[in-house]
Amino acid sequence: MTPAAPMNQVEFEQALRAKGEFYHIHHPYHKAMYGGQCTRQQIQGWVANRYYYQISIPRKDAAIMANCPDASVRRLWLQRVLDHDGDNDDEGGIEAWLALAEAVGLSREEVIDQRHVLPGVRFAVDAYVNFARRASWQEAACSSLTELFAPEIHQSRLDSWPQHYPWIDSHGYTYFRKRLSEARRDVEHGLSITLAEFQTVPEQTRALEILQFKLDILWSMLDALTMAYVHQTPPYHTVTDQQVYHRGLEL
């Protein structure tokens, strides 16, 4: 039932944060990762597939800036692109993710050429980027609010992976350490925009739907990984054992 009156900012923030119960930290694949129950192949599969998400984030953020007429917002949002793409002082999160890939035993080449990226992961990530391109900049900014829950998931990896997966080179954890502070900073900005821009009942309802959409994307990525690496039923497994879905170039 649609509420009769809009929520005040405290209530609205609480409603946004309540969506955390659907964050992918609760997905069985993630639970297995921080519970020490994943195989080497499952860890590598997650890292290789998540790379496609990592390289898409700056494109998503660039789309938000392209649609935003407010220079003050663009100046702050630009830092997100630099966090991933790097600048003169920092190689950036994508490079840190490639270090993680090498730390779990993957080669840079096989991650960069996206040979392991599953169609379900690709479709989910592409849906996120396309949403950011088509939506208003306020709605696209709101979709970033899964960062409300991100520090917990990064900390869980830092706490559990060294214990459960000693075969992973410790230099690979730089990305998770970086995102602890970056995500908290990004949350402050994204949350302030959402609380200010979504004030009526329809707007607040829309914001919660957008946040659920982003949660759906993250959950769906792990569903695809579960089929391929847990149930051993990757795409076309009844037809061929070849990775026929591999393509390095966008179509």
Side-chain angles (χ1 to χ4, degrees):
M1 180 179 295
T2 303
M7 292 174 276
N8 62 39
Q9 287 202 346
V10 173
E11 293 168 335
F12 186 29
E13 181 175 344
Q14 289 175 341
L16 291 166
R17 291 185 181 277
K19 285 290 187 180
E21 67 177 305
F22 304 113
Y23 192 49
H24 62 169
I25 196 171
H26 303 297
H27 193 286
Y29 204 103
H30 256 307
K31 287 185 175 181
M33 280 199 293
Y34 59 70
Q37 299 160 349
C38 277
T39 65
R40 184 183 296 253
Q41 182 196 38
Q42 288 165 353
I43 294 289
Q44 291 177 337
W46 178 75
V47 171
N49 275 269
R50 181 79 180 190
Y51 174 77
Y52 188 66
Y53 180 85
Q54 300 304 133
I55 62 173
S56 298
I57 293 301
R59 297 166 61 203
K60 177 268 298 182
D61 289 324
I64 293 174
M65 290 191 295
N67 290 331
C68 178
D70 188 330
S72 64
V73 172
R74 293 198 305 269
R75 281 193 294 268
L76 289 174
W77 208 271
L78 176 61
Q79 186 58 51
R80 297 172 185 246
V81 176
L82 298 177
D83 286 343
H84 282 79
D85 284 347
D87 58 24
N88 293 332
D89 300 318
D90 182 1
E91 290 185 325
I94 292 173
E95 181 60 33
W97 196 266
L98 288 170
L100 172 63
E102 292 178 316
V104 301
L106 296 166
S107 69
R108 293 173 68 94
E109 178 185 7
E110 68 183 303
V111 176
I112 291 172
D113 71 16
Q114 303 172 25
R115 71 186 68 171
H116 302 298
V117 178
L118 299 163
V121 170
R122 189 180 296 276
F123 294 158
V125 174
D126 288 351
Y128 184 33
V129 175
N130 288 330
F131 172 79
R133 288 171 174 161
R134 296 193 306 266
S136 69
W137 72 268
Q138 296 96 328
E139 289 188 341
C142 174
S143 71
S144 73
L145 284 184
T146 48
E147 291 164 338
L148 286 167
F149 325 117
E152 179 184 0
I153 208 168
H154 295 314
Q155 191 63 58
S156 74
R157 294 164 188 153
L158 290 169
D159 291 342
S160 64
W161 281 29
Q163 173 188 354
H164 296 307
Y165 310 110
W167 51 271
I168 299 177
D169 192 314
S170 61
H171 84 275
Y173 295 128
T174 299
Y175 178 86
F176 303 140
R177 295 190 187 98
K178 281 169 54 66
R179 288 305 298 166
L180 284 174
S181 59
E182 292 172 354
R184 292 188 179 98
R185 179 207 63 214
D186 292 346
V187 162
E188 292 181 10
H189 187 211
L191 185 59
S192 67
I193 290 172
T194 301
L195 294 177
E197 297 288 340
F198 295 80
Q199 297 191 3
T200 68
V201 170
E203 288 169 349
Q204 292 176 344
T205 300
R206 176 63 174 161
L208 291 168
E209 290 172 346
I210 290 169
L211 183 51
Q212 185 62 57
F213 163 72
K214 175 63 181 306
L215 292 164
D216 293 347
I217 285 171
L218 297 174
W219 197 275
S220 295
M221 291 168 62
L222 291 176
D223 284 347
L225 288 165
T226 298
M227 293 295 292
Y229 296 109
V230 178
H231 300 310
Q232 298 298 311
T233 54
Y236 309 108
H237 69 281
T238 58
V239 179
T240 178
D241 59 0
Q242 300 298 308
Q243 291 176 291
V244 296
Y245 51 84
H246 163 55
R247 62 178 191 272
L249 300 176
E250 293 187 37
L251 299 180

